[in-house]
Amino acid sequence: SPDLIVLTGDYLSTSYNRDPQALADLRTLLGQLRAPAGIYAVWGTIEVDLPQLLRPLFDELGIVVLEEGVARVPTAAGNGDEHSLWLVGLSCTRDLAAGGAKLWALLGELPAEGFSLFLYHTPDLMPQAAALGVDLYLAGHTHGGQWRLPGFGAILTSSQHWKRYEAGLYREGDTTLYVSRGLGMEGFGTPRARIFCPPEVVLITLSGEGA
C-alpha cells in the first residue's frame, strides 16, 4: 500500500513495443496500480518507449509523465513547501551535458527547503545530480546487468559509466541514488534470462526529523 508510485521507464521491450497485445497487457498491469499521492513516470530509452503509443495509455490511467517537469507532492507532515516532496522528471537522453543543464534549470524552480526526488531512466546523471544537491535519485536502465557473475557483478549495463552505478544503493555527497534491477528483460535477440540477477520492485520509506 504505497503512498506514491514512481516508474522510471522502459515499459515494454524493444521486441514488443509496437505489439497491440503487449500494449493491452501493459494497460492491464498498470491499471492495477493505486497510490493516494499519485503515480508518476518518466520515459525510458528513446528507442524503447514510444510516447506516441504510450502517452494515450498513461493519460487514460491517470499516470503523470514528467517529460521535463516538476510536481509537488504534499506529505503527511503538512502542505507547506517545507513538508512537500518535489518530483523532478526528465526524458532520457544520451547527451549528459544537456541533461545536466535541464536538471539545473528544473531544480531552480524548487524552494530551498523542499525535498527533491529526481526521476530519470538511467543513472548516468548521478555526478551532475550530486553536484546540484539532489536529495534522492531513482533510476533503472541497467537491469542490474541482467547477467551477473559472482564476485564481479554486471557484465553489461548499457550505462555510459559502465559498472559505476550498475545496481542498488549509492551515495555521493548529500545525494542518494537507487538503481533498480527492474522486472523485465532486454529485447531483440538477447536471451530471455536473468543470471544471478533477480527482478525487483523497490519500496523506499522516507522519514523526517523533528516535528
Side-chain angles (χ1 to χ4, degrees), residues 8-10 121 139-146 166-168 178-185 194 197-202:
T8 56
D10 279 8
H121 178 59
H141 184 65
T142 68
H143 298 196
Q146 195 167 312
E166 64 181 54
Y178 194 92
V179 184
S180 172
R181 296 189 301 269
L183 294 174
M185 289 174 278
R194 284 176 174 261
C197 188
E200 67 176 351
V201 171
V202 182

Side-chain angles (χ1 to χ4, degrees), residues 98-122:
K102 290 178 180 179
L103 176 58
W104 175 82
L106 289 173
L107 290 173
E109 301 178 20
L110 274 57
E113 65 273 22
F115 184 94
S116 57
L117 197 170
F118 178 41
L119 304 179
Y120 191 68
H121 178 59
T122 83

Side-chain angles (χ1 to χ4, degrees), residues 168-185:
L169 190 67
Y170 302 88
R171 290 190 175 91
E172 293 182 8
D174 294 328
T175 299
T176 298
L177 164 68
Y178 194 92
V179 184
S180 172
R181 296 189 301 269
L183 294 174
M185 289 174 278

Side-chain angles (χ1 to χ4, degrees), residues 74-88:
T75 67
N79 292 320
D81 285 351
E82 71 277 13
H83 298 302
S84 294
L85 179 68
W86 293 84
L87 300 181
V88 177

Side-chain angles (χ1 to χ4, degrees), residues 2-88:
D3 297 302
L4 173 73
I5 294 175
V6 296
L7 309 170
T8 56
D10 279 8
Y11 302 105
L12 295 171
S13 80
T14 45
S15 298
Y16 301 99
N17 61 356
R18 295 180 182 272
D19 180 68
Q21 185 58 56
L23 285 166
D25 291 343
L26 177 64
R27 188 203 179 284
T28 299
L29 174 64
L30 295 179
Q32 299 177 62
L33 302 181
R34 299 287 187 276
I39 305 171
Y40 293 84
V42 290
W43 300 131
T45 309
I46 54 176
E47 297 87 359
V48 179
D49 286 345
L50 306 176
Q52 68 271 23
L53 296 179
L54 292 175
R55 189 178 288 112
L57 186 155
F58 280 55
D59 288 346
E60 176 190 351
L61 296 174
I63 299 173
V64 179
V65 181
L66 298 173
E67 298 185 70
E68 188 175 333
V70 171
R72 174 177 169 271
V73 180
T75 67
N79 292 320
D81 285 351
E82 71 277 13
H83 298 302
S84 294
L85 179 68
W86 293 84
L87 300 181
V88 177

